[in-house]
Amino acid sequence: MGKRRKPRRDEAISALSKKQKKHLKEFGEQHPFYDAVSKKQEVTQVIQLPESSEDESRSESEAESEPEQVNMYHQLLATLKSVSEEEEEESDDDDDVEEETVEDEGDDAEEVDEESEAENEDVEDESEGEVSGEDYGATDGITGEEQKEADDEEEVVVGDPAAEEVGEFTDAKHESKFSLETNFLDADNEDSKIEQVSSSTVATEDPFVQHVSRELEEQDISKIGSNPKKASLKWPALGQIVISSSLPEVQPLKSEKESDLHKLYLHKPLFSTWPKVNSSFLSAPNEQKFTPLQRELFSIMNSYRDLFYPARSPTVQGEEIRHVYCLHALNHALKANSHVLNNNSRKREQKPGMDEEDLRDQGLTRPKVLIVVPFRQSALRVVQILISLMEVGDRKVDVSNKKRFKEEFGSEPEDRPPNLKRPEDYEAVFAGNIDDHFRIGVAILQKSMRLYSPFYSSDIIIASPLGLRTIIGSDGEKKRDFDFLSSIEVLILDQTDLYLMQNWEHVLHLMAHLNLQPTESHGVDFSRVRMWNLSNWAKYYRQTLLFSSLQEPQINSIFNKHCFNYCGQVAVRNMPITGSISHVVVQLPHVFQRLEADGLLSVIDARFEFFTSKILPQYRDAIMSHTLIYIPSYFDYVRLRNYFKKEELNFTHVCEYTNKPGISRARQFFLKGERQFLLVTERFHFYKRYTLKGIRNLIFYELPTYPHFYSDVCNMMKAWHRGEEATWTCTVLYSKYDAQRLAAVVGAERAAQMLQSKKNVHLFVTGENG
């Protein structure tokens, strides 16, 4: 948002002190003490009065007919109408201030004005980041013509006490245009009206209307989540899927094979724009509308069931999946808004016999879709897809604040270091702008889109976990807001596995604040709010779409413990057959040692005790030098680092927080053998992907989160090939609670045998003779 500019009429006041302003307001003129006195001596002028009374009366009448010269003080007095209440309060507090010289007061006035202006800018920036989804420092680098465009796009309502008190980002130019309360359905959109469901009409086949129009009973709520019925199916593209539902009335799930997009109940204009937008993934765009994977995913999405898809590859399927969930999100938002606009028209017409209950068509707050992505680059792609889905033919969709969005979410080619060679998955994940602190509101109304809309005027919110955490806040904080999450109907968590590498606590914090009753009304018309929103049952209607590249207990817990959709859930459960150990190319014996633990909480201490008492003594000998210890958890890393220091072992360590000089020293010490042990965190490998040379012995303190990291680290041994392959070793610690990670490394069948076996040690050999 551009910097607020003072009107020209206020420039004269800005040079006055507070006492001068007060005197000017009370008496209509400046105190004579401050009059500018010229040092030039004035010449006395002698005027001869006329002797005739007629001449005197004539001169008086001429004087009355001349226009009155407006006093400068009166001009200043007129400008006082724009003085804010805050300045008036400040001026009242300055009654006891001693008089100073004109020069001193002028300087003080300038300093106060500059400080207050800076404070206003700080408050404005902070409020924009909290309410509208901006990040901090969002306006840096906007000058010249760009500033003019920003001024044209973003008109700020000055003097509105409500806006100033809340500190909302107010797009005055577009607020009424995108308001659902004051708009009606366009004449050319009459064919897209949503059918109304009432006692006198037949329920439509549209899955959106079926989903939001069903009224649950208390007995239905008590059944949700308790003893769900499960069924297992195998689909061609998704593979093995598990369908669970607690309510028997829910329709069975079928894979859509419909090629007519009208029969898939896509809202206008999506049935005409989707084939063009999705054409890059299709082998025969004229015949197909979806890829096989997209068709099956959209069948589940369009049934409004929860979905967990743990096979989202960042290199192959990432964009393909992103396109289909953007289609579903936009389809939902357009239908919901069209429903409201249609009812606005019905309410305006006030036909006899109209039931007011049929007009309940919205939630307690406007945001209905929340898309959570890890980086700004991901948000950029989502918005680009949404815009392209709105563009019909050659007609460009009207997008407000588009230039500003590109500047803040885009990236420059020079931002990427040259000649940087990294794996393919790394290139896909860390492409573009990888800032992870952002949030932005998107308002969509018929043929227009508004970026940076206030959250309570937005239909779709796109944000990162960190961006949401900073606005949700924590208990005890004064400035926190999560009411905008109260009526979320579609939640999309994309690239969920990356949040494990950021801060998983932010995701849990978000899930705990979804679909809660708002603390304020936020101007909602309660006569239009659905009854299940008023009953605080929104979480039973929310659809959650979860996309990840791996199955992890923490991600599974989100799907199992925070998703209560009455329509049921669909989870893709494909077990790995071979595992990532098959991609290890070096000749290496892999010793898997199982540790016993009584419970999930005790496994952390059990692993530390097992490592320090059974594994580490074998490597204390100087012969076992060049030992790398791979540690997935940062807390385990800190614990081991402190233990090594206490035992005065010859070691070095690197983590995601180590600076470049520290990393270079540690790698050099380890390569030359000056340090026997090297402790490495998983996040360090995730964010850096350095090839660590000099590894002879490898210890996995815990199985890696990403299965391909196992083969990546093992294959680092070939980077230091000196004919010592016969002495290389690899030791892996695991427990029965690591079943999913173990299956991803060695395969599902072998993992089952290892967990059920009475033996605690298992040996695998890879390489030429393996």
Side-chain angles (χ1 to χ4, degrees):
M1 182 175 177
K3 179 180 177 182
R4 296 184 178 179
R5 298 176 179 175
K6 291 187 177 181
R8 293 184 179 277
R9 64 170 187 244
D10 292 346
E11 294 180 356
I13 294 181
S14 63
L16 302 179
S17 67
K18 295 176 183 177
K19 182 169 293 186
Q20 289 175 294
K21 294 177 185 177
K22 181 182 177 183
H23 192 281
L24 180 62
K25 184 173 185 296
E26 290 179 353
F27 301 98
E29 61 182 10
Q30 278 282 32
H31 193 282
F33 177 83
Y34 302 107
D35 286 345
V37 181
S38 176
K39 296 182 179 180
K40 182 179 179 181
Q41 186 175 2
E42 296 183 359
V43 180
T44 303
Q45 183 178 3
V46 179
I47 300 176
Q48 296 293 335
L49 294 176
E51 297 179 357
S52 173
S53 59
E54 294 181 358
D55 295 338
E56 181 177 357
S57 61
R58 187 184 303 112
S59 63
E60 289 178 357
S61 62
E62 291 176 356
E64 290 177 357
S65 63
E66 292 178 358
E68 181 181 358
Q69 298 295 326
V70 180
N71 194 310
M72 173 184 170
Y73 296 133
H74 288 83
Q75 294 178 357
L76 291 176
L77 180 61
T79 63
L80 279 178
K81 296 180 181 180
S82 63
V83 178
S84 64
E85 297 178 0
E86 180 180 357
E87 289 178 335
E88 294 178 8
E89 294 175 359
E90 291 178 355
S91 63
D92 292 336
D93 295 336
D94 293 336
D95 288 49
D96 299 327
V97 179
E98 297 180 358
E99 288 190 2
E100 299 176 0
T101 61
V102 177
E103 292 79 10
D104 293 339
E105 289 188 347
D107 295 339
D108 292 342
E110 292 178 1
E111 293 176 1
V112 171
D113 289 340
E114 291 174 359
E115 290 176 1
S116 61
E117 183 177 351
E119 290 176 359
N120 291 336
E121 292 175 4
D122 292 340
V123 172
E124 179 183 345
D125 292 341
E126 182 179 355
S127 63
E128 287 178 18
E130 290 181 348
V131 180
S132 70
E134 291 183 55
D135 202 349
Y136 306 109
T139 59
D140 292 346
I142 302 181
T143 56
E145 296 180 357
E146 300 172 359
Q147 178 66 47
K148 182 178 183 300
E149 180 175 342
D151 292 340
D152 293 338
E153 289 184 346
E154 302 166 5
E155 295 181 3
V156 179
V157 178
V158 181
D160 183 4
E164 292 179 359
E165 180 180 356
V166 179
E168 289 190 357
F169 172 90
T170 306
D171 189 353
K173 184 177 181 179
H174 304 100
E175 186 67 25
S176 60
K177 178 181 178 181
F178 287 88
S179 173
L180 288 181
E181 292 78 11
T182 58
N183 280 280
F184 305 93
L185 206 62
D186 286 348
D188 57 348
N189 279 344
E190 289 294 323
D191 59 337
S192 64
K193 287 185 178 181
I194 305 295
E195 299 180 47
Q196 303 300 310
V197 178
S198 64
S199 58
S200 60
T201 59
V202 179
T204 179
E205 295 294 327
D206 190 338
F208 166 79
V209 178
Q210 288 183 342
H211 179 66
V212 300
S213 300
R214 175 168 179 177
E215 296 291 342
L216 296 178
E217 305 292 339
E218 289 282 355
Q219 57 184 3
D220 296 329
I221 299 298
S222 61
K223 291 180 182 179
I224 296 177
S226 60
N227 300 321
K229 295 182 179 180
K230 296 186 178 181
S232 182
L233 299 176
K234 189 171 184 178
W235 284 7
L238 291 178
Q240 201 73 25
I241 63 173
V242 178
I243 306 171
S244 61
S245 177
S246 300
L247 301 182
E249 299 86 0
V250 177
Q251 296 183 357
L253 180 63
K254 297 180 181 180
S255 177
E256 294 286 352
K257 298 181 180 180
E258 190 64 61
S259 58
D260 187 357
L261 297 182
H262 289 274
K263 295 182 180 180
L264 293 178
Y265 301 99
L266 292 182
H267 193 277
K268 183 180 180 180
L270 300 181
F271 52 78
S272 60
T273 59
W274 171 251
K276 180 180 178 181
V277 174
N278 199 48
S279 60
S280 59
F281 304 105
L282 304 175
S283 56
N286 296 330
E287 301 176 3
Q288 300 173 331
K289 303 298 185 294
F290 296 90
T291 65
L293 175 63
Q294 288 177 331
R295 184 182 304 278
E296 295 180 4
L297 288 176
F298 189 75
S299 299
I300 301 172
M301 295 178 188
N302 210 29
S303 68
Y304 279 90
R305 288 173 168 86
D306 292 338
L307 170 64
F308 177 34
Y309 182 71
R312 183 202 186 281
S313 170
T315 56
V316 180
Q317 303 167 338
E319 281 298 306
E320 190 177 342
I321 294 173
R322 182 177 287 139
H323 273 68
V324 74
Y325 76 61
C326 285
L327 171 68
H328 177 66
L330 186 57
N331 190 38
H332 179 87
L334 289 174
K335 286 181 178 179
N337 288 351
S338 180
H339 199 177
V340 174
L341 297 179
N342 184 27
N343 284 341
N344 287 349
S345 301
R346 295 178 62 203
K347 188 175 181 179
R348 179 179 58 177
E349 295 169 0
Q350 288 289 340
K351 293 182 178 179
M354 183 183 67
D355 188 359
E356 291 288 339
E357 291 298 315
D358 289 345
L359 300 181
R360 295 189 178 274
D361 50 17
Q362 52 194 270
L364 290 166
T365 53
R366 179 171 172 178
K368 52 188 70 71
V369 178
L370 174 62
I371 302 177
V372 183
V373 288
F375 302 121
R376 284 181 180 258
Q377 174 66 19
S378 305
L380 175 67
R381 291 293 303 127
V382 168
V383 173
Q384 288 174 343
I385 295 172
L386 294 178
I387 293 174
S388 60
L389 286 172
M390 296 282 290
E391 294 179 343
V392 180
D394 297 332
R395 180 182 63 83
K396 295 292 184 180
V397 64
D398 181 17
V399 182
S400 59
N401 305 316
K402 186 176 181 180
K403 172 175 281 191
R404 173 185 171 191
F405 174 75
K406 288 183 178 180
E407 291 175 350
E408 296 178 10
F409 284 77
S411 62
E412 299 295 335
E414 56 267 19
D415 294 343
R416 182 173 180 80
N419 303 325
L420 185 65
K421 295 182 180 179
R422 291 292 183 266
E424 188 179 5
D425 66 297
Y426 182 93
E427 298 283 353
V429 169
F430 294 103
N433 191 334
I434 57 172
D435 178 28
D436 63 348
H437 186 192
F438 62 90
R439 49 186 179 264
I440 181 173
V442 181
I444 299 171
L445 201 64
Q446 300 182 46
K447 300 177 182 179
S448 303
M449 182 179 295
R450 176 189 182 199
L451 303 177
Y452 294 101
S453 58
F455 274 9
Y456 293 98
S457 300
S458 302
D459 300 300
I460 301 175
I461 295 175
I462 307 170
S464 65
L466 177 60
L468 290 171
R469 177 59 186 266
T470 53
I471 187 175
I472 293 174
S474 302
D475 293 337
E477 294 184 8
K478 294 182 179 180
K479 290 186 178 181
R480 56 182 313 210
D481 184 16
F482 49 86
D483 287 354
F484 61 89
L485 300 173
S486 62
S487 299
I488 295 296
E489 299 165 5
V490 177
L491 169 65
I492 301 174
L493 294 168
D494 193 16
Q495 297 174 275
T496 313
D497 52 285
L498 298 185
Y499 309 144
L500 295 170
M501 299 292 110
Q502 293 178 345
N503 193 331
W504 187 252
E505 177 63 26
H506 296 338
V507 179
L508 299 177
H509 196 70
L510 165 65
M511 301 304 295
H513 288 82
L514 278 172
N515 300 120
L516 302 178
Q517 286 288 68
T519 57
E520 300 177 13
S521 63
H522 299 284
V524 67
D525 181 2
F526 287 99
S527 65
R528 300 286 295 273
V529 178
R530 304 186 191 97
M531 292 306 298
W532 49 265
N533 283 104
L534 296 175
S535 302
N536 198 23
W537 288 353
K539 66 179 180 180
Y540 302 111
Y541 288 80
R542 186 191 76 231
Q543 180 188 32
T544 304
L545 306 178
L546 202 58
F547 300 99
S548 171
S549 66
L550 51 89
Q551 295 194 42
E552 184 69 15
Q554 293 169 290
I555 301 177
N556 293 339
S557 68
I558 291 289
F559 194 68
N560 296 330
K561 296 181 179 180
H562 294 275
C563 299
F564 308 97
N565 190 349
Y566 80 86
C567 287
Q569 299 178 331
V570 178
V572 179
R573 304 293 185 189
N574 292 320
M575 299 303 294
I577 300 175
T578 56
S580 62
I581 196 172
S582 61
H583 299 136
V584 178
V585 297
V586 296
Q587 185 176 351
L588 182 67
H590 305 257
V591 180
F592 287 78
Q593 299 204 23
R594 188 176 68 204
L595 57 96
E596 302 297 336
D598 298 331
L600 185 59
L601 296 178
S602 62
V603 72
I604 299 175
D605 293 331
R607 179 179 287 108
F608 178 77
E609 181 64 27
F610 185 84
F611 176 80
T612 55
S613 61
K614 301 291 182 63
I615 304 299
L616 188 58
Q618 304 175 19
Y619 291 86
R620 283 178 175 264
D621 197 316
I623 300 177
M624 305 296 288
S625 61
H626 295 274
T627 300
L628 184 141
I629 304 177
Y630 182 93
I631 312 168
S633 171
Y634 180 78
F635 300 105
D636 289 335
Y637 162 79
V638 173
R639 189 176 187 180
L640 283 180
R641 184 190 63 190
N642 295 339
Y643 178 81
F644 276 47
K645 288 182 178 179
K646 180 181 177 181
E647 295 294 320
E648 297 182 350
L649 296 177
N650 185 21
F651 80 104
T652 185
H653 53 88
V654 291
C655 67
E656 59 270 27
Y657 304 113
T658 308
N659 55 26
K660 287 186 177 181
I663 295 173
S664 299
R665 286 194 300 268
R667 294 176 68 184
Q668 202 67 18
F669 288 154
F670 184 70
L671 176 62
K672 295 181 178 180
E674 298 179 12
R675 299 290 186 270
Q676 183 176 353
F677 297 96
L678 173 61
L679 306 183
V680 177
T681 63
E682 184 171 69
R683 288 185 182 180
F684 171 81
H685 180 67
F686 175 79
Y687 285 108
K688 302 298 183 181
R689 304 294 177 94
Y690 290 153
T691 299
L692 302 175
K693 299 180 179 180
I695 305 174
R696 295 180 187 172
N697 306 289
L698 183 59
I699 300 176
F700 284 92
Y701 186 76
E702 186 182 1
L703 284 164
T705 303
Y706 289 91
H708 66 277
F709 283 2
Y710 184 87
S711 56
D712 288 349
V713 178
C714 289
N715 289 331
M716 287 181 187
M717 290 184 166
K718 68 179 182 180
W720 201 55
H721 184 76
R722 295 190 176 183
E724 299 175 349
E725 294 86 343
T727 61
W728 288 350
T729 65
C730 178
T731 303
V732 184
L733 307 186
Y734 73 97
S735 70
K736 62 181 180 181
Y737 301 104
D738 299 323
Q740 288 182 330
R741 294 187 181 186
L742 184 63
V745 172
V746 301
E749 185 177 350
R750 288 177 176 175
Q753 296 174 358
M754 294 169 64
L755 293 172
Q756 297 172 3
S757 175
K758 296 181 180 180
K759 297 180 180 180
N760 292 333
V761 180
H762 300 270
L763 175 65
F764 296 87
V765 180
T766 59
E768 298 177 358
N769 300 327

